[in-house]
Amino acid sequence: MRVLVVDDEPALLESVRRGLAAGGWAVETAPDGEIGLEMAADGDFDVVVLGIMMPRRSGYEVVREMRRREIWTPVLMLTAKDGEYDEADAFDLGADDYLVKPFSFVVLEARLRALVRRGAPERPVSFVAGDLEVDPAAREVRRGGERIPVTAREYAVLEYLIRNRNQVVSKPQILRAVWDAAYDGDDNIVEVYVGYLRRKIDTPFGARAIETVRGQGYRLVDSEMAGAGG
């Protein structure tokens, strides 16, 4: 099994290389994110181990660029940063696992074996419907490549709709997914936010991606599929 290890700490890089090689892995290493990205793009690796805080390109930038180039090799990220937001960022950008330094070498090997067993299914980082793109990592919305500013709540509603694209979702479903569990107000708030979104992502572009399905809820469709919505 071939593994690429990318980290700017020479001692850690050599320690991981020796340990994995002793376990029968074919190991290649890279001392920074820029070199690591090009090796990941050119090499046929079973799994990639990435540090996060590195010169030239951070591990976050590397995994995001890998996924943008449709390089689906499983990625485990190593970091000295032990925080839930750092971990969430890693997963949102396309990482498959996350391990905090210092770590048990036994655990590292076990996690790498698990990633290799799982393989590398295609899993796009962004959600796309026609020319509408929602990027969870950057929390950005673009149509035809043009960035569209949205509020946090508008973004959350849109992400839920595009995750369930071409399916009808009800107001109660959107409320449960987007609003606080304690929210006990009128479910027409969903209608208000759908209206905000239409004015931003549809009307200026002559599109009708968000359909109203009368008596049932809303459906986000690919631009070329968009029909008469309410």
Side-chain angles (χ1 to χ4, degrees):
M1 292 179 288
R2 299 188 68 227
V3 57
L4 171 64
V5 184
V6 187
D7 200 279
D8 66 331
E9 295 182 36
L12 181 140
L13 200 61
E14 179 61 13
S15 172
V16 173
R17 186 195 68 78
R18 287 186 178 185
L20 290 177
W25 295 77
V27 187
E28 294 190 38
T29 62
D32 65 53
E34 187 69 30
I35 295 173
L37 174 61
E38 295 314 311
M39 291 179 68
D42 295 338
D44 185 18
F45 294 99
D46 294 293
V47 65
V48 175
V49 178
L50 273 180
I52 291 184
M53 305 306 293
M54 296 187 292
R56 300 178 72 190
R57 279 184 187 261
S58 72
Y60 290 140
E61 293 173 309
V62 172
V63 71
R64 183 174 185 181
E65 180 63 15
M66 285 174 63
R67 301 318 187 211
R68 190 190 72 79
R69 296 187 191 183
E70 299 187 352
I71 302 167
W72 307 114
T73 310
V75 171
L76 182 146
M77 303 196 81
L78 296 177
T79 181
K81 302 170 72 176
D82 184 9
E84 59 185 16
Y85 290 106
D86 299 309
E87 187 173 350
D89 285 344
F91 287 125
D92 280 343
L93 287 163
D96 300 273
D97 204 352
Y98 185 99
L99 197 56
V100 178
K101 305 173 186 175
F103 53 84
S104 158
F105 197 81
V106 172
V107 172
L108 172 62
E109 270 205 282
R111 290 191 173 189
L112 292 180
R113 288 194 299 269
L115 289 178
V116 171
R117 283 196 302 271
R118 243 181 275 163
E122 293 190 13
R123 50 206 186 287
V125 175
S126 296
F127 296 97
V128 177
D131 64 349
L132 178 67
E133 179 183 4
V134 175
D135 182 342
R139 291 193 168 270
E140 288 184 355
V141 177
R142 292 179 287 271
R143 188 183 272 285
E146 179 181 335
R147 186 174 178 275
I148 304 171
V150 293
T151 67
R153 187 78 75 184
E154 289 166 353
Y155 173 84
V157 172
L158 181 58
E159 183 181 320
Y160 184 76
L161 288 171
I162 202 167
R163 281 180 183 271
N164 294 280
R165 60 191 174 281
N166 299 323
Q167 300 178 46
V168 178
V169 292
S170 66
K171 288 181 181 179
Q173 284 177 304
I174 298 172
L175 277 175
R176 285 195 299 271
V178 175
W179 270 260
D180 187 279
Y183 178 80
D184 61 357
D186 193 327
D187 66 3
N188 281 334
I189 190 67
V190 173
E191 186 176 335
V192 171
Y193 275 87
V194 167
Y196 293 158
L197 284 170
R198 282 175 169 152
R199 287 195 287 273
K200 290 185 175 183
I201 70 167
D202 277 351
T203 304
F205 300 90
R208 302 187 73 178
I210 303 177
E211 295 182 339
T212 297
V213 181
R214 199 169 304 280
Q216 297 181 53
Y218 301 96
R219 176 172 54 208
L220 187 142
V221 298
D222 296 339
S223 295
E224 62 271 19
M225 294 171 58

